[in-house]
């Protein structure tokens, strides 16, 4: 009733998964392990599908390699010294550090990910995008900590096409809605490529026609909360350039408040505030 087995080698081999374990397995009131694992999944998406596990962008998941130590009860495993890497046509990613599967889980390590086929990756995740030359590539790296439901990323470096950002970020899934946090230095930020070509052209002055009566679709403001601080030395929007701009924005319960305490444009010093309240029915 309290059997302890020492495995010199315990291996599972197949077309989709090769996994080996060296260490002990305890068969007491709870199954416990204390040893090391070394595994390779040649087609992770297909493996998860056959296991009945649904994950986003399943078709993008290819070769996954995992090495590390594992200990504890089977329903609360601790994995330490992990070295995880994924390589594939659409995304490459790594994680090095520790993971606990007890409770809400715990993460403490460093990660990186990059893709030169971002549009194809988003399509694999069922995200439809309008045709365009933007959103072609991304790369990110940082230090992860927290639980599976509340993750913080320190020393964050993020690249999206030609845009770059450094700072910290996080996501909190413990509340009614996901909450995003971030404190990012964006450097020289040129958003012109993300504008439609017609938005970048100078247009002839049109006669005043009053405010549009078309309702605004602000439902997206109710989907997440956010607390973001962004800084940029130069912000370019088509033929408009703002310098030394900073934005402090909060989004709570459908209420967006954005504060631009200072920016330079058109030869002068400016400041502004924007408020959008989508918490009600209209």
């Amino acid at each position: 009733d309290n059997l302890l087995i020492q495995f010199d080698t315990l291996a599972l081999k197949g077309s989709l998964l090769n996994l080996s374990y060296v260490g002990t397995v305890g068969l007491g009131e709870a199954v416990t392990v204390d040893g090391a694992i070394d595994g390779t999944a040649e087609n992770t998406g297909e493996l998860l599908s056959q296991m009945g596990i649904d994950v986003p962008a399943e078709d993008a998941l290819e070769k996954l390699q995992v090495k590390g130590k594992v200990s504890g009860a089977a329903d609360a495993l601790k994995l330490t010294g992990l070295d995880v890497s994924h390589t594939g046509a659409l995304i490459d990613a790594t994680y090095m550090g520790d993971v606990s599967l007890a409770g809400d889980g715990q993460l403490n390590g460093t990660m990186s990910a990059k893709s030169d086929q971002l549009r194809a990756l988003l399509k694999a995740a069922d995200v439809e995008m309008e045709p365009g030359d933007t959103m072609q590539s991304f790369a990110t790296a940082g230090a992860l900590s927290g639980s599976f439901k509340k993750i913080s990323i320190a020393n964050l470096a993020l690249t999206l096409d030609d845009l770059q950002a450094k700072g910290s970020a996080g996501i909190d899934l413990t509340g009614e809605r996901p909450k995003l946090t971030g404190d990012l230095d964006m450097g020289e930020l040129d958003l012109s490529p993300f504008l439609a070509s017609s938005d970048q052209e100078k247009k002839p002055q049109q006669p005043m026609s009053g405010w549009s009566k078309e309702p605004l679709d602000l439902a997206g403001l109710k989907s997440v909360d956010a607390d973001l601080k962004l800084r940029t030395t130069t912000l370019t929007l088509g033929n408009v350039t703002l310098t030394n701009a900073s934005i402090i924005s909060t989004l709570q319960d459908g209420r967006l408040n954005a504060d631009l305490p200072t920016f330079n444009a058109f030869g002068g010093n400016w400041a502004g505030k924007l408020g959008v309240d989508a918490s009600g029915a209209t």
Side-chain angles (χ1 to χ4, degrees):
D1 61 357
N2 194 21
L3 184 64
L4 185 67
I5 306 173
Q6 171 70 46
F7 287 99
D8 294 328
T9 301
L10 176 63
L12 174 66
K13 296 184 178 182
S15 60
L16 294 177
L17 177 65
N18 288 328
L19 180 64
S20 66
Y21 172 77
V22 177
T24 61
V25 176
L27 302 178
E29 291 184 4
V31 177
T32 60
V33 296
D34 187 3
I37 57 171
D38 186 346
T40 301
E42 295 294 340
N43 188 331
T44 307
E46 178 62 21
L47 176 64
L48 293 174
S49 177
Q50 291 195 18
M51 295 172 65
I53 301 175
D54 293 326
V55 296
E58 179 182 284
D59 293 340
L61 300 180
E62 297 184 54
K63 186 174 183 178
L64 181 70
Q65 295 177 291
V66 180
K67 292 183 180 179
K69 296 180 179 180
V70 57
S71 62
D75 59 352
L77 291 176
K78 294 181 179 179
L79 300 101
T80 57
L82 274 180
D83 185 350
V84 182
S85 64
H86 174 273
T87 54
L90 299 185
I91 185 171
D92 293 337
T94 66
Y95 176 80
M96 299 182 69
D98 303 333
V99 175
S100 172
L101 302 183
D104 290 335
Q106 289 290 323
L107 291 166
N108 186 15
T110 59
M111 66 84 189
S112 68
K114 64 178 182 178
S115 173
D116 294 327
Q117 302 288 333
L118 180 54
R119 284 180 170 263
L121 178 63
L122 293 173
K123 184 177 181 179
D126 296 326
V127 177
E128 296 295 333
M129 298 186 63
E130 294 292 332
D133 296 327
T134 59
M135 301 289 286
Q136 298 291 336
S137 64
F138 90 96
T140 185
L144 291 177
S145 62
S147 69
F148 295 164
K149 293 184 177 182
K150 190 175 182 180
I151 302 173
S152 298
I153 309 176
N155 301 321
L156 174 65
L158 175 65
T159 300
L160 176 63
D161 292 340
D162 294 329
L163 305 181
Q164 296 185 1
K166 294 182 178 180
S168 60
I171 181 169
D172 186 348
L173 303 177
T174 60
E176 182 180 348
R177 289 173 302 278
K179 182 175 182 178
L180 307 177
T181 58
D183 189 343
L184 299 173
D185 187 343
M186 308 294 291
E188 295 185 1
L189 183 59
D190 186 359
L191 297 180
S192 300
F194 293 87
L195 301 177
S197 58
S198 58
D199 293 331
Q200 302 185 52
E201 299 172 354
K202 290 186 177 181
K203 301 179 179 65
Q205 187 172 353
Q206 299 294 324
M208 295 287 289
S209 58
W211 287 100
S212 169
K213 302 298 184 182
E214 187 71 20
L216 300 175
D217 184 2
L218 302 175
L221 294 180
K222 301 179 183 180
S223 61
V224 298
D225 293 334
D227 188 352
L228 303 174
K229 298 178 181 179
L230 307 177
R231 292 172 300 281
T232 176
T233 55
T234 303
L235 173 61
T236 303
L237 292 163
N239 53 24
V240 176
T241 299
L242 312 180
T243 59
N244 298 321
S246 63
I247 302 173
I248 302 172
S249 62
T250 60
L251 177 60
Q252 184 72 37
D253 299 329
R255 296 180 178 89
L256 172 67
N257 291 295
D259 185 7
L260 286 82
T262 179
F263 62 92
N264 305 122
F266 311 111
N269 300 320
W270 298 68
K273 295 179 182 291
L274 170 69
V276 181
D277 187 349
S279 61
T282 54

